[in-house]
Amino acid sequence: MKKSVLAIAAHPDDIEFCMAGTLMRLIDRGWEAHYFNVANGCCGSTTLSRQECANVRLEEAQKAASLLEATFYPPIRNDLEIFYDLGTVQQVAAVLRQATPQIVLTHATVDYMEDHQNTARLAVTAAFSHGMANFETNPEQPIFEHDLAIYHAQPHGNRTPLKKLSTPEIAVDVSDLLDKKKELLACHASQDNWLDASQGMSSYLGSMQKLNAEVGAMSKLYAFAEGWTQHLHLGFAKNADYNPLLEAIPDHATRL
């Protein structure tokens, strides 16, 4: 059976910020990678119209996915319009059934903005329904029945919305991948000025490096790392000890 990993993020550049290193580790071990941003990034500009911005960010995301050699799935919602509703669950579930993953990477369930939190909820329900023949997806896709595991990334800033430090369960070493992560994130060049203007992030590449350095320090092993917390196995895998991420890259990951 092929090994498949699906990254489900809210906006273009979210995968590159907190998931791309782990994707690269798995790709290097022969895993198929799948790349899905739920929203199109249309609000990420102070100068472009919504449609112009969405068009630019689509090209940027497609370029990043191509560099990863990942299968790209187009966005299905506008920014700030990611809601946990039946129609969106059905569309996200259709993407998940196409990817047939053993690993799903997505946002933290508690994060700094609702688009991230709602994306995490959508990913969890889509994964939960992967073997339910009576749950209809849009478009219709066949079920699959193998086990899967969901891993939640660190919240943005490595902090909860109430400013509490978030410590992951697993750290994945990305020290030797940092330059490649920067190359992937730099595909989203439109976000440099936007993130500076909207969130005070004067260098989005430097901000990514700083967040990975903080997780690396938490690991006490790595200079730079991405952090993950595994979702409860119930409904997704038969055994509580099912942990395909650690099994796939034991020499580049550690429990905290």
Side-chain angles (χ1 to χ4, degrees):
M1 182 172 59
K2 69 178 182 180
K3 298 294 186 181
S4 171
V5 53
L6 169 63
I8 303 178
H11 313 105
D13 80 14
D14 285 336
I15 288 174
E16 290 73 16
F17 252 103
C18 56
M19 306 179 193
T22 301
L23 280 174
M24 285 188 279
R25 290 290 184 214
L26 292 168
I27 291 167
D28 188 56
R29 296 297 167 88
W31 286 58
E32 293 183 1
H34 299 262
Y35 180 113
F36 179 38
N37 299 311
V38 178
N40 59 14
C42 66
C43 292
S45 176
T46 58
T47 58
L48 301 175
S49 71
R50 288 167 63 90
Q51 190 57 56
E52 289 171 336
C53 186
N55 291 342
V56 167
R57 300 198 70 188
L58 177 63
E59 292 180 3
E60 293 173 340
Q62 289 173 324
K63 181 179 179 181
S66 177
L67 288 175
L68 278 168
E69 298 185 352
T71 300
F72 180 85
Y73 299 86
I76 59 174
R77 293 292 180 271
N78 293 323
D79 287 3
L80 301 183
E81 296 179 18
I82 301 176
F83 299 115
Y84 185 83
D85 56 38
L86 176 59
T88 311
V89 171
Q90 289 175 318
Q91 288 179 275
V92 175
V95 170
L96 184 129
R97 290 186 186 182
Q98 290 178 72
T100 62
Q102 287 84 11
I103 291 176
V104 175
L105 306 177
T106 192
H107 289 294
T109 55
V110 178
D111 210 336
Y112 84 127
M113 69 174 301
E114 283 76 9
D115 272 3
H116 286 206
Q117 297 180 148
N118 289 339
T119 295
R121 293 187 65 198
L122 291 163
V124 169
T125 302
F128 192 85
S129 70
H130 73 276
M132 294 179 175
N134 289 342
F135 181 74
E136 297 180 357
T137 63
N138 181 21
E140 291 187 15
Q141 296 291 339
I143 63 170
F144 63 93
E145 297 182 343
H146 62 250
D147 289 350
L148 61 80
I150 301 171
Y151 297 89
H152 296 283
Q154 283 290 94
H156 190 55
N158 291 324
R159 297 323 189 256
T160 72
L162 299 182
K163 301 178 288 186
K164 301 297 184 183
L165 180 67
S166 177
T167 302
E169 292 179 349
I170 298 169
V172 173
D173 183 18
V174 299
S175 303
D176 60 322
L177 300 175
L178 198 63
D179 288 343
K180 183 65 175 181
K181 280 198 68 175
K182 288 180 179 179
E183 180 185 0
L184 292 168
L185 186 56
C187 291
H188 302 274
S190 69
Q191 294 308 282
D192 196 7
N193 292 334
W194 163 252
L195 290 172
D196 186 19
S198 65
Q199 299 177 37
M201 296 170 60
S202 58
S203 169
Y204 68 133
L205 301 179
S207 296
M208 179 272 289
Q209 180 172 324
K210 181 180 178 181
L211 296 175
N212 284 178
E214 188 170 32
V215 177
M218 292 177 194
S219 75
K220 300 180 181 179
L221 285 175
Y222 311 132
F224 300 95
E226 293 176 352
W228 299 98
T229 298
Q230 187 175 3
H231 201 91
L232 183 69
H233 75 287
L234 295 176
F236 307 99
K238 300 176 184 67
N239 300 313
D241 59 354
Y242 181 66
N243 197 326
L245 180 57
L246 279 180
E247 292 171 4
I249 52 172
D251 48 340
H252 293 293
T254 188
R255 291 183 184 273
L256 273 63

